[in-house]
Amino acid sequence: MRYDLPAALTVECDGPIRTVVLNRPAELNAVDAALHWALANVWRQLAADREARVVILTGAGRAFSAGGDLDWITSFLDDSAARDESIREGAQIVEELLRFPLPVIAAVNGAAVGLGASVAALCDVVLISEQAYLADPHVAVGLVAGDGGAAFWPLLTPILRSREYLFTGDRIDAATAVQLGLATRIVPPEQLLGEARLLAERLAAQPVEALRNTKRVVNMYLSQALGGPLQAGFAAEVVTMRSTEHRDRLSALRQRATRR
């Protein structure tokens, strides 16, 4: 099976296991246009791989994904076509993950922020390093948390806790993520990929159709519940992308990043 993907996302094949790696380590795997496109399109390619049985999703280097690449996000201020395409792809990422037939194990090796947190939490099993954390700081930069957080966190966590973390953008450490239902279990960092691999081997040995259809039925609940909130979330995010407050917050964030 040949995968048609940019270098920002790689697929490693080992028997029935496919390891998908967010591969911009120097940028903490921040999502730019190429990586965003790849996250939207990799799942159909994986589904077409007849030898694949399980997928591990992780990040290269010390982060899972630091969220949106600042240069890419800033380009939306003056490029409505790029902005609208990012929204379409964002919806595709969520929908393809929910529709994907194989089990996906997230090995969250470091910071998982914004879309990174959404993608991790949408996986079937989320193994999180003791050193990792989740965060959704959309509101802090003047945006609605439309790419999944506001729509599906309340399906996984108590709504009161979801509100606090979505409103503030505060970090959710590994132990709290497990407590809230945004991660499955904590793993020491040096054992993370090994534990993901052991679980992947175990799932790969399960009866294929029984496992696929169990996932399909479970994900029906998420898909049905997300129909309205997800569409509303992306629509609201577009509105806030045009706001003066977002432009000001994003400019301030870029200035701080430049001074570091």
Side-chain angles (χ1 to χ4, degrees), residues 46-259:
L46 286 162
D49 185 342
R50 296 190 177 186
E51 302 301 317
R53 293 291 179 268
V54 184
V55 174
I56 297 170
L57 179 64
T58 194
R62 59 192 178 92
F64 183 80
S65 173
D69 181 271
L70 280 177
D71 288 338
W72 184 53
I73 294 172
T74 303
S75 74
F76 300 160
L77 297 175
D78 302 307
D79 187 345
S80 60
R83 179 195 66 214
D84 293 345
E85 180 65 9
S86 77
I87 293 296
R88 187 196 64 78
E89 283 182 352
Q92 184 180 344
I93 290 169
V94 176
E95 291 163 0
E96 292 292 338
L97 263 169
L98 290 173
R99 190 182 299 120
F100 184 63
L102 304 180
V104 183
I105 302 165
V108 182
N109 54 306
V113 179
L115 179 60
S118 294
V119 168
L122 280 167
C123 293
D124 300 300
V125 180
V126 183
L127 306 183
I128 186 168
S129 163
E130 293 170 340
Q131 299 175 351
Y133 66 87
L134 309 179
D136 193 329
H138 278 78
V139 170
V141 292
L143 293 176
V144 168
D147 61 8
F152 76 82
W153 279 23
L155 301 176
L156 305 175
T157 74
I159 287 179
L160 284 173
R161 302 297 300 278
S162 295
R163 287 188 187 122
E164 178 181 4
Y165 286 109
L166 288 169
F167 291 178
T168 64
D170 287 349
R171 294 182 179 185
I172 304 172
D173 62 40
T176 304
V178 172
Q179 179 191 36
L180 292 176
L182 292 171
T184 308
R185 55 187 165 95
I186 303 172
V187 180
E190 68 278 6
Q191 298 176 21
L192 182 65
L193 286 177
E195 285 291 316
R197 175 77 192 194
L198 286 173
L199 180 57
E201 290 172 350
R202 185 177 176 189
L203 295 181
Q206 295 282 61
V208 174
E209 289 305 315
L211 184 57
R212 288 189 181 198
N213 283 300
T214 296
K215 171 173 176 172
R216 180 178 60 83
V217 173
V218 170
N219 276 11
M220 280 183 181
Y221 291 99
L222 287 174
S223 296
Q224 290 172 1
L226 278 174
L230 195 62
Q231 291 179 8
F234 280 118
E237 188 173 3
V238 169
V239 171
T240 51
M241 280 178 168
R242 301 168 181 156
S243 70
T244 300
E245 192 169 31
H246 169 58
R247 183 181 290 269
D248 293 344
R249 291 286 181 109
L250 195 56
S251 296
L253 186 62
R254 288 199 73 191
Q255 289 174 8
R256 288 198 298 272
T258 302
R259 289 197 294 266

Side-chain angles (χ1 to χ4, degrees), residues 39-53:
L39 284 169
N41 289 278
V42 67
W43 306 106
R44 291 192 184 188
Q45 295 186 39
L46 286 162
D49 185 342
R50 296 190 177 186
E51 302 301 317
R53 293 291 179 268

